[in-house]
Amino acid sequence: MTTNQLVGEMARNRSGWNPAKLRESRELHGLTLEAAGEQLRQTARKAGLTAPAANFQTLWQHEQGEIYPGPHYRRAYCLLYRSTEPELGFRRALPGEVNGTPTAYADDDRARVATLAATLSRLLPENRDDGFPPIAERVLDAWRTRGHGPTSGRPLLVLVGGFAGSGKSEVARFLAQLTGWALLDKDPLCRPLVEHLLTELGCDPNDRHSETYRREVRPLEYQCLMESIYLNIDNGLSTVATAPSVAELTDPAWTQRLANRCQAHQVDLCPLWITCDEDSMREYIGFRSAARDA
């Protein structure tokens, strides 16, 4: 299979994508493919986006469903056509969106709570078969009482793991912003130390796959993160921590040791593994262009 065929196959399998809506939006604005491309470039530049090439062949491939538009293209399309991603057929609407636009609830707290509860129920597992408690209600309770007194129940450690580009950091930040719980992210916490150690060991500072990294650096990286987590646990602070943790979360003995440490300090543990389709992970990794992903 050629590269173009592979890209086309990935695009056709993208859930919720309806490329016909993109063509309909262009025609409603009375634009030819050439005119739409020119306006798309101008819109991207004005918005401070990386201006896409936006030639008419590329736009035609987007509208025919042969290529799924990347992040910069999607943002530029939304600005040009004054529409949201669901309205342009890039994805399905999220909970709380009507045609992709967040519903305005004014001061209706019941509606806000219901919308957030629906979002959390889709994001977080409600019925777990691994012995760990569900956390959607705990998050909702913390959000409702934030700044107005203590939350109910014991402190909670939420350990968010997942492959690169899966969205684990976004999920962790979302939970921390909602609840006000402490946030520990391995990358910003340990990256300067990791890069310096790799350089001193004669390795590429961005390499995360060499045997030297796995043997000499990775254990120290995770030890730094875990010591920070333990400090919060020992002081009864609810914490959201995120790292890939591929080896750790697939090791029952490691998870049990962490659960025992939490239990000894009257802290509940909730490990979360974030799943994501390969196309989205690949797209996000390419979009963030981090040297460590090369």
Side-chain angles (χ1 to χ4, degrees):
M1 182 178 291
T2 67
T3 300
N4 287 339
Q5 289 173 327
L6 180 61
V7 170
E9 185 65 24
M10 289 164 51
R12 284 187 288 274
N13 292 333
R14 186 169 289 272
S15 176
W17 185 30
N18 182 1
K21 289 187 177 181
L22 191 60
R23 174 182 55 79
E24 293 169 0
S25 296
R26 175 177 59 79
E27 293 175 348
L28 283 173
H29 282 73
L31 297 174
T32 63
L33 285 169
E34 292 82 356
E38 178 61 31
Q39 292 196 24
L40 199 66
R41 289 190 293 271
Q42 295 177 9
T43 299
R45 283 194 291 268
K46 289 178 182 178
L49 301 173
T50 301
N55 55 58
F56 72 91
Q57 294 98 333
T58 301
L59 269 62
W60 184 86
Q61 289 176 308
H62 291 166
E63 294 181 3
Q64 294 300 309
E66 294 186 3
I67 295 179
Y68 183 73
H72 286 303
Y73 267 111
R74 296 200 301 272
R75 294 177 187 178
Y77 275 128
C78 289
L79 292 171
L80 174 62
Y81 296 139
R82 295 183 175 86
S83 300
T84 63
E85 288 201 358
E87 289 172 332
L88 293 178
F90 295 139
R91 60 173 174 83
R92 294 189 180 92
L94 299 173
E97 289 183 320
V98 177
N99 293 326
T101 303
T103 305
Y105 293 118
D107 295 326
D108 188 350
D109 286 338
R110 288 178 300 176
R112 294 174 63 215
V113 170
T115 299
L116 180 56
T119 301
L120 292 173
S121 69
R122 292 186 60 178
L123 178 66
L124 304 173
E126 294 182 350
N127 300 311
R128 306 187 61 141
D129 56 7
D130 52 12
F132 295 103
I135 66 166
E137 283 298 324
R138 297 285 296 276
V139 170
L140 190 61
D141 179 54
W143 173 71
R144 296 163 90 173
T145 61
R146 186 174 178 181
H148 302 286
T151 59
S152 61
R154 305 195 307 182
L156 182 68
L157 169 61
V158 183
L159 185 59
V160 185
F163 293 116
S166 62
K168 59 184 178 296
S169 294
E170 296 298 326
V171 170
R173 282 195 289 266
F174 173 64
L175 295 177
Q177 289 167 357
L178 281 177
T179 59
W181 297 340
L183 174 62
L184 295 173
D185 189 328
K186 178 184 70 67
D187 280 343
L189 187 66
C190 302
R191 187 183 301 131
L193 175 64
V194 169
E195 292 178 352
H196 181 74
L197 284 175
L198 286 170
T199 301
E200 290 296 310
L201 291 170
C203 300
D204 182 340
N206 297 308
D207 187 4
R208 300 296 188 273
H209 298 278
S210 67
E211 183 58 32
T212 300
Y213 167 76
R214 295 174 185 274
R215 184 181 64 252
E216 303 292 340
V217 179
R218 189 183 186 279
L220 296 175
E221 184 179 20
Y222 275 81
Q223 183 180 350
C224 290
L225 174 64
M226 295 311 300
E227 290 297 332
S228 299
I229 291 174
Y230 290 150
L231 183 62
N232 282 3
I233 290 175
D234 293 348
N235 286 278
L237 299 176
S238 290
T239 302
V240 182
T242 181
S245 305
V246 177
E248 289 74 17
L249 289 178
T250 55
D251 180 358
W254 183 92
T255 307
Q256 188 59 57
R257 288 195 297 272
L258 179 58
N260 293 342
R261 179 74 175 256
C262 290
Q263 181 63 31
H265 292 274
Q266 301 298 303
V267 174
D268 291 331
L269 171 64
C270 183
L272 293 178
W273 181 261
I274 305 302
T275 59
C276 182
D277 65 276
E278 292 182 8
D279 295 344
S280 295
M281 288 192 289
R282 185 181 295 109
E283 178 188 54
Y284 180 68
I285 288 174
F287 178 63
R288 72 185 181 186
S289 299
R292 66 185 183 279
D293 294 328

